[in-house]
């Protein structure tokens, strides 16, 4: 059966979590702090089965303070569900989330204009016109737009049609050949032990496989796999998966670590990359500037060494701590102060030799 990992993006308070609940009957804001504050802090997860396959929803936080969590949630996503409030229109995080999605190489989208019950016809027309202008020239310019309301149910069935159409034409995977699982959660379950979760990149995972966790190089054995609450003997690329590990404690694993098959993958302190500066960024990246690199589910500080003319985009990232990635993987660069997204990066060589 086909599956598509869909990251739900958009500005804070535009109704992403409520819309996911309307589509899946699952509340993704499970932390007490999220319920108290009325906003998502970490990515939430839900899924919906259709005749054509299954859509895995990753509900990404919309607040600007949680961009790291948004990028972590988008790791491995094959498409986006962009949510825009009909009453507020396009806001700052709408633009930033769209820019990040493009820099991560995502090219498919479905657009939901929410809170339709609160907007007059003129507001709806204005919102759609603004969306069309914003998406023009992007990979999402032809994405279907649905006016809907998670509360009244207006347009939800139309939105589901767009999601099912997405399943019929899922982009070809572009991950590593080896199985690679950036870890977004780690916890323990009584009687079972250590559990990690993430979106699988690259090759398949199978039960009883010997694995290694980077960057520390810790070895472990797969005790079991679950996908959408069902035990599996194996899982394929692009699938949300929970992995039960044997031989390693919860305290020895951190969010941002990467699980690979034993003997595959390796952590690195230096990577050659191709940088793409966001067009709205006025201050260019400087040689030797320290930036925060969001790669998979990790976020580490690195020093940028420009290798050619700044406009050429060739650079080295020299990390303060080792990270694990693969050639062709996309990363996001953010300034340390003031915090802002400044560039995307495509990894050219994960184990580069530091240049002078």
């Amino acid at each position: 059966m086909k599956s598509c990992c869909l990251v739900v993006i958009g500005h804070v308070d535009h109704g992403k979590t409520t819309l996911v609940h309307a589509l899946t009957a699952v509340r993704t804001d499970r932390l007490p702090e999220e319920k108290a504050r009325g906003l998502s802090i970490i990515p939430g997860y839900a899924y919906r089965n259709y005749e054509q396959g299954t859509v895995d929803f990753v509900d990404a936080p919309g607040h600007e303070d949680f961009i790291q969590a948004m990028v972590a949630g988008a790791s491995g996503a094959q498409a986006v569900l962009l949510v825009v409030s009909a009453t507020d229109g396009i806001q700052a995080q709408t633009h930033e989330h769209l820019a990040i999605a493009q820099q991560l190489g995502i090219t498919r989208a479905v657009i939901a204009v929410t809170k339709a019950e609160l907007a007059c016809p003129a507001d709806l027309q204005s919102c759609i016109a603004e969306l069309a202008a914003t998406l023009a020239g992007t990979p999402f310019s032809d994405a279907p737009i649905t006016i809907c309301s998670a509360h009244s149910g207006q347009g939800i069935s139309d939105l589901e049609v767009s999601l099912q159409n997405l399943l019929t034409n899922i982009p070809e995977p572009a991950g590593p050949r080896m199985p690679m699982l950036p870890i977004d959660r780690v916890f323990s379950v009584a009687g079972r032990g250590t559990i990690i979760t993430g979106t699988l990149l690259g090759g398949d995972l199978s039960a009883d496989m010997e694995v290694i966790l980077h960057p520390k190089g810790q070895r472990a054995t797969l005790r079991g796999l679950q996908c959408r609450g069902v035990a599996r003997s194996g899982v394929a690329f692009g699938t949300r998966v929970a992995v039960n590990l044997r031989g390693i404690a919860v305290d020895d694993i951190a969010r941002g670590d990467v699980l690979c098959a034993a003997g595959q993958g390796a952590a690195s302190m230096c990577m050659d990359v191709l940088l793409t500066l966001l067009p709205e960024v006025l201050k260019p990246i400087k040689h030797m500037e320290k930036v925060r690199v969001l790669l998979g589910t990790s976020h580490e500080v690195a020093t940028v060494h420009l290798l050619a003319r700044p406009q050429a985009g060739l650079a080295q990232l020299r990390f303060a701590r080792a990270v694990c990635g693969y050639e062709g993987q996309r990363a996001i660069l953010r300034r340390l102060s003031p915090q802002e997204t400044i560039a995307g990066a495509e990894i050219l060589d994960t184990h580069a030799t530091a240049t002078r």
Side-chain angles (χ1 to χ4, degrees), residues 54-96:
T54 302
V55 176
D56 289 305
F57 295 89
V58 181
D59 182 12
H63 197 282
E64 62 181 340
D65 290 345
F66 305 117
I67 287 294
Q68 292 177 10
M70 178 267 167
V71 175
S75 174
Q78 296 156 285
V80 301
L81 171 56
L82 174 65
V83 178
V84 179
S85 166
T87 56
D88 295 338
I90 292 178
Q91 298 293 314
Q93 296 313 116
T94 314
H95 287 291
E96 187 168 15

Side-chain angles (χ1 to χ4, degrees), residues 1-4 48-56 78 164-170 228:
M1 177 180 284
K2 290 184 177 181
S3 66
C4 178
R48 174 68 185 272
N49 291 321
Y50 295 103
E51 184 178 345
Q52 295 85 349
T54 302
V55 176
D56 289 305
Q78 296 156 285
Q164 292 174 75
N165 290 337
L166 190 67
L167 279 166
T168 63
N169 189 20
I170 301 171
R228 308 178 191 111

Side-chain angles (χ1 to χ4, degrees), residues 108-183:
R108 300 291 306 284
V110 172
I111 317 295
V113 177
T114 57
K115 304 185 180 182
E117 78 281 6
L118 302 177
C120 65
D123 288 338
L124 289 171
Q125 290 185 359
S126 175
C127 184
I128 291 175
E130 188 180 18
L131 267 170
T134 300
L135 298 175
T138 75
F140 314 127
S141 58
D142 295 328
I145 299 175
T146 302
I147 298 173
C148 58
S149 167
H151 291 289
S152 70
Q154 174 190 345
I156 296 299
S157 59
D158 294 333
L159 181 59
E160 291 187 316
V161 170
S162 295
L163 294 173
Q164 292 174 75
N165 290 337
L166 190 67
L167 279 166
T168 63
N169 189 20
I170 301 171
E172 190 69 23
R177 293 184 178 181
M178 63 182 174
M180 177 179 283
L181 183 71
I183 299 169

